[in-house]
Amino acid sequence: QVTLVESGGGLVQAGGSLRLSCAASGRTFSSYGMGWFRQAPGKEREFVSAITWSGSSIYYAVSVKGRFTISRDNAKNTVYLQMNSLKPEDTAVYYCARRRPNGRYEHSSPDEYDYWGQGTQVTVSS
């Protein structure tokens, strides 16, 4: 069983920054790719960013590229999402997820991920 716990969300003014963390249980964290998604009220869950197990490949949604940075520390079983230049449209619940070991979908598809955290709220005021 894998448990993912997000933290670091909160209320911030437009232009501000937040750093989200996702702590994973289990000894095989370093073997899996990880992703961040977000869901705003009334909208579908959308892809934000993903990172491979080694960190050698990183992906971003167009809407966050250049503002958000994903990283991971396998020694700490943690993946991070540094969010800069936040905009009101970034307001959402942010989720981290573990990528399936033998997935068949694109890194941006929620179906590619098998374990999810409970989410952390990010609110950006204008």
Side-chain angles (χ1 to χ4, degrees):
Q1 186 68 19
V2 174
T3 302
L4 303 175
V5 180
E6 302 96 335
S7 61
L11 173 63
V12 63
Q13 289 188 333
S17 298
L18 284 173
R19 188 194 196 201
L20 305 184
S21 299
C22 171
S25 66
R27 293 175 291 180
T28 59
F29 172 80
S30 60
S31 300
Y32 296 92
M34 298 293 294
W36 285 97
F37 288 75
R38 66 187 182 186
Q39 188 166 19
K43 295 188 177 181
E44 292 189 353
R45 191 166 298 190
E46 66 170 351
F47 170 75
V48 175
S49 183
I51 187 169
T52 53
W53 67 271
S54 65
S56 60
S57 294
I58 287 174
Y59 311 92
Y60 295 102
V62 171
S63 59
V64 307
K65 197 168 186 178
R67 299 187 297 122
F68 290 11
T69 302
I70 191 172
S71 62
R72 66 188 297 160
D73 185 338
N74 288 338
K76 296 182 178 180
N77 279 16
T78 302
V79 62
Y80 305 97
L81 186 69
Q82 177 66 44
M83 306 186 296
N84 298 330
S85 302
L86 283 161
K87 304 175 181 179
E89 51 263 44
D90 294 319
T91 296
V93 177
Y94 283 70
Y95 299 90
C96 69
R98 191 189 80 168
R99 193 169 181 179
R100 298 179 188 276
N102 297 300
R104 297 177 295 171
Y105 303 95
E106 290 291 320
H107 58 265
S108 57
S109 170
D111 292 333
E112 181 66 1
Y113 298 82
D114 53 3
Y115 288 95
W116 294 79
Q118 83 290 346
T120 186
Q121 176 71 47
V122 171
T123 303
V124 184
S125 63
S126 57

